[in-house]
Amino acid sequence: MVHGGAGALDNVKDDKTAVRYLEALRRILEHGREIMKLGGSALQSVEACAALLEDDPVFNAGCGSVLNENGKVEMDAAIMDGRDLSAGAVAAVSNIANPVQLARLVMTKSEHVMLISDGAMQFAKHCGIGLAPENYFYTQDRIAQLEDARRKHKIMLDHDSTEEDSEDQKYGTIGAVARDPQGNLAAATSTGGIVNKRLGRVGDSPIIGAGVYADNETCAVSATGYGEEFMRTVISKTICDFAYMKSMDAEQATKAGIEYLKNKVNGRGGVIVIDNEGNCASGFTTKKMIHGWIEHGGKVNVRF
Ligand code: ASP
């Protein structure tokens, strides 16, 4: 399963834009399935899918990341392997084309789970990851979006509603979850965060248990939404806990998790979930969430 953010999605006004989003998801889902067909693991598949989503400027991650209050890109990403709960994350990184790949390296090549800012950049250098130039990240749309947020004195999310007083916003983070034929689960989430955020603000996406979680015994989860609310409810781990403690499947655990998010903090956003039997589920409190799923031998499903 993959997602490309939740929210009002007012920016998807015409069929052409909708097709653009859905075609991207379709192509990336096919790619993820192909990896597993060729013997790749769930972990390899989610990393590859997340990296492709980061490479597409319509999504708020990698080259399409939103801008912070200083007009700069600061990205967060994480990846988790459900086989042994190993995880890697980076936060507040700049000039990295694929933060999810750096997160994977933190997981496999360092003794840590999370590296941030300058330390993460130094680690990238140590791993031989080249820096992407500033202009790789700045699209006209992102500059206009920041100007709009500044004008409204608002911190906004990527797929934010264009209506002045709307509460429904878009959180354009990307994510992927997978279960491979061996029954292994993995999850990845990557984001530019929220528009006009404070310098140094870190959201839920790189926080293990908040924006991402995977455990072979329960589920793989990737979240998108207002990060602060997702951190306070540790939403991804909460969904896994529902599955574990109440023997719920993906759909039941997702429903319970979304209820919890709404009741506790009136949280805005959504999640994609796969359980250890391969059941897929999605849930969101916003008007829409761009997401899709694909099964072994089945057709691709993509929707808002
Ligand atoms: N969850 C992300 C954050 O708060 C935003 C998003 O999902 O678009 O940084």
Side-chain angles (χ1 to χ4, degrees):
M1 294 190 87
V2 294
H3 71 75
L9 282 152
D10 286 351
N11 54 337
V12 186
K13 285 191 187 79
D14 51 57
D15 287 353
K16 225 173 106 201
T17 324
V19 167
R20 170 82 179 77
Y21 275 112
L22 296 179
E23 277 308 311
L25 290 198
R26 202 169 274 137
R27 175 176 54 82
I28 290 165
L29 283 164
E30 294 273 13
H31 186 86
R33 176 164 69 180
E34 201 53 36
I35 289 177
M36 288 198 276
K37 258 194 199 160
L38 295 170
S41 64
L43 187 71
Q44 284 170 315
S45 184
V46 295
E47 182 188 354
C49 289
L52 286 172
L53 287 157
E54 288 173 339
D55 292 343
D56 190 328
V58 298
F59 298 108
N60 170 20
C63 68
S65 291
V66 299
L67 307 179
N68 70 9
E69 62 178 358
N70 293 355
K72 298 273 177 223
V73 164
E74 281 192 332
M75 299 165 287
D76 304 330
I79 189 162
M80 186 159 185
D81 187 343
R83 287 178 288 203
D84 58 358
L85 306 192
S86 53
V90 292
V93 294
S94 309
N95 301 93
I96 301 288
N98 292 110
V100 72
Q101 291 171 347
L102 187 56
R104 169 92 187 261
L105 289 170
V106 171
M107 174 172 117
T108 52
K109 295 209 182 308
S110 86
E111 58 279 24
H112 305 300
V113 167
M114 180 185 272
L115 291 175
I116 66 162
S117 193
D118 289 352
M121 307 287 287
Q122 200 172 302
F123 178 71
K125 201 169 157 206
H126 167 79
C127 294
I129 294 191
L131 296 188
E134 299 279 307
N135 64 7
Y136 175 72
F137 298 93
Y138 296 91
T139 65
Q140 274 316 314
D141 286 354
R142 293 303 183 209
I143 293 165
Q145 190 182 37
L146 176 63
E147 278 163 11
D148 188 41
R150 280 178 175 159
R151 190 174 53 77
K152 291 176 184 159
H153 301 288
K154 258 174 93 179
I155 294 171
M156 298 182 6
L157 294 106
D158 178 26
H159 296 304
D160 211 349
S161 171
T162 47
E163 288 162 35
E164 290 279 342
D165 56 352
S166 172
E167 282 301 308
D168 202 3
Q169 307 178 321
K170 173 188 180 287
Y171 316 87
T173 291
I174 65 90
V177 293
R179 177 186 181 275
D180 62 30
Q182 288 71 42
N184 295 314
L185 297 175
T189 306
S190 180
T191 189
I194 53 180
V195 188
N196 205 16
K197 65 183 179 181
R198 275 183 190 276
L199 179 72
R201 178 265 187 191
V202 174
D204 62 308
S205 309
I207 309 293
I208 307 304
V212 70
Y213 204 75
D215 178 355
N216 273 10
E217 272 196 89
T218 55
C219 303
V221 185
S222 172
T224 172
Y226 200 89
E228 281 70 6
E229 294 155 0
F230 283 51
M231 288 153 94
R232 288 159 58 214
T233 50
V234 202
I235 192 64
S236 296
K237 178 69 162 73
T238 296
I239 288 173
C240 290
D241 286 348
F242 276 122
Y244 188 68
M245 292 175 194
K246 302 208 167 197
S247 305
M248 291 181 171
D249 65 13
E251 200 171 326
Q252 294 164 327
T254 301
K255 206 163 161 251
I258 291 292
E259 279 302 303
Y260 181 80
L261 179 72
K262 263 199 301 212
N263 294 341
K264 283 284 178 186
V265 296
N266 203 14
R268 291 155 289 173
V271 290
I272 52 170
V273 182
I274 294 187
D275 67 25
N276 54 1
E277 307 261 286
N279 300 305
C280 295
S282 60
F284 41 98
T285 63
T286 44
K287 271 193 214 152
K288 293 173 188 165
M289 180 171 76
I290 309 172
H291 67 289
W293 66 97
I294 193 167
E295 289 171 28
H296 179 73
K299 65 176 179 54
V300 195
N301 301 278
V302 285
R303 61 186 55 168
F304 288 109

PDB file of all heavy atoms in Angstrom, residues 60 76 157 171-173 191 193-194 201 203-205 223-228, ligand 1:
ATOM      1  N   ASN A  60       4.654  15.747  -1.098  1.00  0.00           N
ATOM      2  CA  ASN A  60       5.413  16.513  -0.114  1.00  0.00           C
ATOM      3  C   ASN A  60       6.470  15.623   0.560  1.00  0.00           C
ATOM      4  O   ASN A  60       6.320  15.213   1.703  1.00  0.00           O
ATOM      5  CB  ASN A  60       4.436  17.098   0.914  1.00  0.00           C
ATOM      6  CG  ASN A  60       5.147  17.712   2.099  1.00  0.00           C
ATOM      7  OD1 ASN A  60       6.327  18.050   2.030  1.00  0.00           O
ATOM      8  ND2 ASN A  60       4.427  17.851   3.202  1.00  0.00           N
ATOM      9  N   ASP A  76      11.971  14.883   6.995  1.00  0.00           N
ATOM     10  CA  ASP A  76      12.003  13.809   7.998  1.00  0.00           C
ATOM     11  C   ASP A  76      11.627  12.497   7.300  1.00  0.00           C
ATOM     12  O   ASP A  76      10.746  12.506   6.427  1.00  0.00           O
ATOM     13  CB  ASP A  76      10.927  14.022   9.073  1.00  0.00           C
ATOM     14  CG  ASP A  76      11.001  15.368   9.779  1.00  0.00           C
ATOM     15  OD1 ASP A  76      12.110  15.918   9.899  1.00  0.00           O
ATOM     16  OD2 ASP A  76       9.937  15.850  10.226  1.00  0.00           O
ATOM     17  N   LEU A 157      -0.710  22.631   5.994  1.00  0.00           N
ATOM     18  CA  LEU A 157      -0.252  21.352   5.477  1.00  0.00           C
ATOM     19  C   LEU A 157      -0.396  21.341   3.968  1.00  0.00           C
ATOM     20  O   LEU A 157      -1.097  22.160   3.397  1.00  0.00           O
ATOM     21  CB  LEU A 157      -0.981  20.247   6.222  1.00  0.00           C
ATOM     22  CG  LEU A 157      -0.445  20.372   7.674  1.00  0.00           C
ATOM     23  CD1 LEU A 157      -1.481  20.963   8.554  1.00  0.00           C
ATOM     24  CD2 LEU A 157       0.160  19.134   8.167  1.00  0.00           C
ATOM     25  N   TYR A 171      -2.260  16.915   4.273  1.00  0.00           N
ATOM     26  CA  TYR A 171      -0.979  16.573   4.834  1.00  0.00           C
ATOM     27  C   TYR A 171      -0.309  15.690   3.797  1.00  0.00           C
ATOM     28  O   TYR A 171      -0.653  14.530   3.665  1.00  0.00           O
ATOM     29  CB  TYR A 171      -1.209  15.879   6.178  1.00  0.00           C
ATOM     30  CG  TYR A 171      -2.256  16.612   6.995  1.00  0.00           C
ATOM     31  CD1 TYR A 171      -3.608  16.338   6.844  1.00  0.00           C
ATOM     32  CD2 TYR A 171      -1.881  17.623   7.854  1.00  0.00           C
ATOM     33  CE1 TYR A 171      -4.565  17.043   7.553  1.00  0.00           C
ATOM     34  CE2 TYR A 171      -2.838  18.332   8.570  1.00  0.00           C
ATOM     35  CZ  TYR A 171      -4.174  18.037   8.415  1.00  0.00           C
ATOM     36  OH  TYR A 171      -5.116  18.736   9.103  1.00  0.00           O
ATOM     37  N   GLY A 172       0.580  16.241   3.006  1.00  0.00           N
ATOM     38  CA  GLY A 172       1.024  15.568   1.776  1.00  0.00           C
ATOM     39  C   GLY A 172       2.160  14.588   1.877  1.00  0.00           C
ATOM     40  O   GLY A 172       2.732  14.191   0.870  1.00  0.00           O
ATOM     41  N   THR A 173       2.469  14.223   3.084  1.00  0.00           N
ATOM     42  CA  THR A 173       3.488  13.210   3.319  1.00  0.00           C
ATOM     43  C   THR A 173       3.261  11.952   2.470  1.00  0.00           C
ATOM     44  O   THR A 173       2.137  11.678   2.078  1.00  0.00           O
ATOM     45  CB  THR A 173       3.404  12.830   4.812  1.00  0.00           C
ATOM     46  OG1 THR A 173       3.849  13.951   5.546  1.00  0.00           O
ATOM     47  CG2 THR A 173       4.197  11.626   5.189  1.00  0.00           C
ATOM     48  N   THR A 191       8.658  12.861   4.546  1.00  0.00           N
ATOM     49  CA  THR A 191       7.912  14.116   4.427  1.00  0.00           C
ATOM     50  C   THR A 191       8.792  15.356   4.433  1.00  0.00           C
ATOM     51  O   THR A 191       9.909  15.328   4.960  1.00  0.00           O
ATOM     52  CB  THR A 191       6.912  14.241   5.610  1.00  0.00           C
ATOM     53  OG1 THR A 191       6.050  15.357   5.372  1.00  0.00           O
ATOM     54  CG2 THR A 191       7.624  14.459   6.929  1.00  0.00           C
ATOM     55  N   GLY A 193       7.237  17.776   5.846  1.00  0.00           N
ATOM     56  CA  GLY A 193       6.590  18.360   7.031  1.00  0.00           C
ATOM     57  C   GLY A 193       5.427  19.251   6.667  1.00  0.00           C
ATOM     58  O   GLY A 193       4.684  18.953   5.729  1.00  0.00           O
ATOM     59  N   ILE A 194       5.281  20.353   7.394  1.00  0.00           N
ATOM     60  CA  ILE A 194       4.161  21.240   7.139  1.00  0.00           C
ATOM     61  C   ILE A 194       4.656  22.614   6.684  1.00  0.00           C
ATOM     62  O   ILE A 194       5.742  23.047   7.048  1.00  0.00           O
ATOM     63  CB  ILE A 194       3.221  21.346   8.370  1.00  0.00           C
ATOM     64  CG1 ILE A 194       3.982  21.708   9.632  1.00  0.00           C
ATOM     65  CG2 ILE A 194       2.491  20.041   8.601  1.00  0.00           C
ATOM     66  CD1 ILE A 194       3.092  21.814  10.859  1.00  0.00           C
ATOM     67  N   ARG A 201      11.507  22.239  13.454  1.00  0.00           N
ATOM     68  CA  ARG A 201      10.312  21.467  13.849  1.00  0.00           C
ATOM     69  C   ARG A 201      10.405  20.051  13.249  1.00  0.00           C
ATOM     70  O   ARG A 201      10.666  19.875  12.069  1.00  0.00           O
ATOM     71  CB  ARG A 201       9.055  22.180  13.347  1.00  0.00           C
ATOM     72  CG  ARG A 201       7.739  21.442  13.660  1.00  0.00           C
ATOM     73  CD  ARG A 201       7.296  20.582  12.527  1.00  0.00           C
ATOM     74  NE  ARG A 201       5.962  20.001  12.730  1.00  0.00           N
ATOM     75  CZ  ARG A 201       5.436  19.057  11.974  1.00  0.00           C
ATOM     76  NH1 ARG A 201       6.098  18.588  10.951  1.00  0.00           N
ATOM     77  NH2 ARG A 201       4.237  18.588  12.219  1.00  0.00           N
ATOM     78  N   GLY A 203       8.176  16.501  12.849  1.00  0.00           N
ATOM     79  CA  GLY A 203       6.815  15.964  12.984  1.00  0.00           C
ATOM     80  C   GLY A 203       6.818  14.502  13.396  1.00  0.00           C
ATOM     81  O   GLY A 203       7.799  13.982  13.931  1.00  0.00           O
ATOM     82  N   ASP A 204       5.717  13.845  13.115  1.00  0.00           N
ATOM     83  CA  ASP A 204       5.555  12.440  13.514  1.00  0.00           C
ATOM     84  C   ASP A 204       6.275  11.454  12.593  1.00  0.00           C
ATOM     85  O   ASP A 204       6.615  10.347  13.005  1.00  0.00           O
ATOM     86  CB  ASP A 204       4.064  12.075  13.500  1.00  0.00           C
ATOM     87  CG  ASP A 204       3.484  12.221  12.091  1.00  0.00           C
ATOM     88  OD1 ASP A 204       3.657  13.303  11.480  1.00  0.00           O
ATOM     89  OD2 ASP A 204       2.878  11.264  11.586  1.00  0.00           O
ATOM     90  N   SER A 205       6.465  11.879  11.330  1.00  0.00           N
ATOM     91  CA  SER A 205       6.913  10.916  10.306  1.00  0.00           C
ATOM     92  C   SER A 205       8.167  10.128  10.696  1.00  0.00           C
ATOM     93  O   SER A 205       8.222   8.918  10.469  1.00  0.00           O
ATOM     94  CB  SER A 205       7.129  11.619   8.961  1.00  0.00           C
ATOM     95  OG  SER A 205       5.995  12.365   8.641  1.00  0.00           O
ATOM     96  N   ALA A 223       1.590   6.782   8.527  1.00  0.00           N
ATOM     97  CA  ALA A 223       0.589   7.818   8.795  1.00  0.00           C
ATOM     98  C   ALA A 223       0.873   9.101   8.031  1.00  0.00           C
ATOM     99  O   ALA A 223       2.009   9.380   7.652  1.00  0.00           O
ATOM    100  CB  ALA A 223       0.573   8.112  10.299  1.00  0.00           C
ATOM    101  N   THR A 224      -0.167   9.871   7.830  1.00  0.00           N
ATOM    102  CA  THR A 224      -0.024  11.219   7.284  1.00  0.00           C
ATOM    103  C   THR A 224      -1.069  12.113   7.928  1.00  0.00           C
ATOM    104  O   THR A 224      -2.230  11.731   8.033  1.00  0.00           O
ATOM    105  CB  THR A 224      -0.179  11.240   5.748  1.00  0.00           C
ATOM    106  OG1 THR A 224      -0.202  12.615   5.326  1.00  0.00           O
ATOM    107  CG2 THR A 224      -1.439  10.553   5.257  1.00  0.00           C
ATOM    108  N   GLY A 225      -0.639  13.259   8.378  1.00  0.00           N
ATOM    109  CA  GLY A 225      -1.585  14.154   9.016  1.00  0.00           C
ATOM    110  C   GLY A 225      -0.864  15.163   9.876  1.00  0.00           C
ATOM    111  O   GLY A 225       0.350  15.322   9.757  1.00  0.00           O
ATOM    112  N   TYR A 226      -1.606  15.799  10.734  1.00  0.00           N
ATOM    113  CA  TYR A 226      -1.030  16.826  11.583  1.00  0.00           C
ATOM    114  C   TYR A 226      -0.141  16.149  12.621  1.00  0.00           C
ATOM    115  O   TYR A 226      -0.609  15.542  13.576  1.00  0.00           O
ATOM    116  CB  TYR A 226      -2.142  17.631  12.243  1.00  0.00           C
ATOM    117  CG  TYR A 226      -1.653  18.966  12.728  1.00  0.00           C
ATOM    118  CD1 TYR A 226      -1.674  20.075  11.894  1.00  0.00           C
ATOM    119  CD2 TYR A 226      -1.128  19.098  14.006  1.00  0.00           C
ATOM    120  CE1 TYR A 226      -1.191  21.295  12.326  1.00  0.00           C
ATOM    121  CE2 TYR A 226      -0.650  20.322  14.444  1.00  0.00           C
ATOM    122  CZ  TYR A 226      -0.683  21.416  13.604  1.00  0.00           C
ATOM    123  OH  TYR A 226      -0.193  22.607  14.042  1.00  0.00           O
ATOM    124  N   GLY A 227       1.178  16.232  12.388  1.00  0.00           N
ATOM    125  CA  GLY A 227       2.156  15.436  13.112  1.00  0.00           C
ATOM    126  C   GLY A 227       2.051  15.509  14.621  1.00  0.00           C
ATOM    127  O   GLY A 227       2.207  14.505  15.322  1.00  0.00           O
ATOM    128  N   GLU A 228       1.779  16.708  15.131  1.00  0.00           N
ATOM    129  CA  GLU A 228       1.751  16.891  16.579  1.00  0.00           C
ATOM    130  C   GLU A 228       0.675  15.988  17.198  1.00  0.00           C
ATOM    131  O   GLU A 228       0.881  15.399  18.256  1.00  0.00           O
ATOM    132  CB  GLU A 228       1.497  18.367  16.905  1.00  0.00           C
ATOM    133  CG  GLU A 228       2.732  19.269  16.775  1.00  0.00           C
ATOM    134  CD  GLU A 228       3.225  19.493  15.336  1.00  0.00           C
ATOM    135  OE1 GLU A 228       2.562  19.046  14.382  1.00  0.00           O
ATOM    136  OE2 GLU A 228       4.295  20.109  15.176  1.00  0.00           O
TER     137      GLU A 228
HETATM  138  N1  ASP B   1       2.746  14.225   9.208  1.00  0.00           N
HETATM  139  C1  ASP B   1       3.518  15.236   8.564  1.00  0.00           C
HETATM  140  C2  ASP B   1       4.103  16.160   9.582  1.00  0.00           C
HETATM  141  O1  ASP B   1       3.411  16.545  10.491  1.00  0.00           O
HETATM  142  C3  ASP B   1       2.749  16.055   7.590  1.00  0.00           C
HETATM  143  C4  ASP B   1       2.001  15.274   6.557  1.00  0.00           C
HETATM  144  O2  ASP B   1       1.551  14.168   6.821  1.00  0.00           O
HETATM  145  O3  ASP B   1       1.844  15.799   5.444  1.00  0.00           O
HETATM  146  O4  ASP B   1       5.243  16.540   9.425  1.00  0.00           O
END
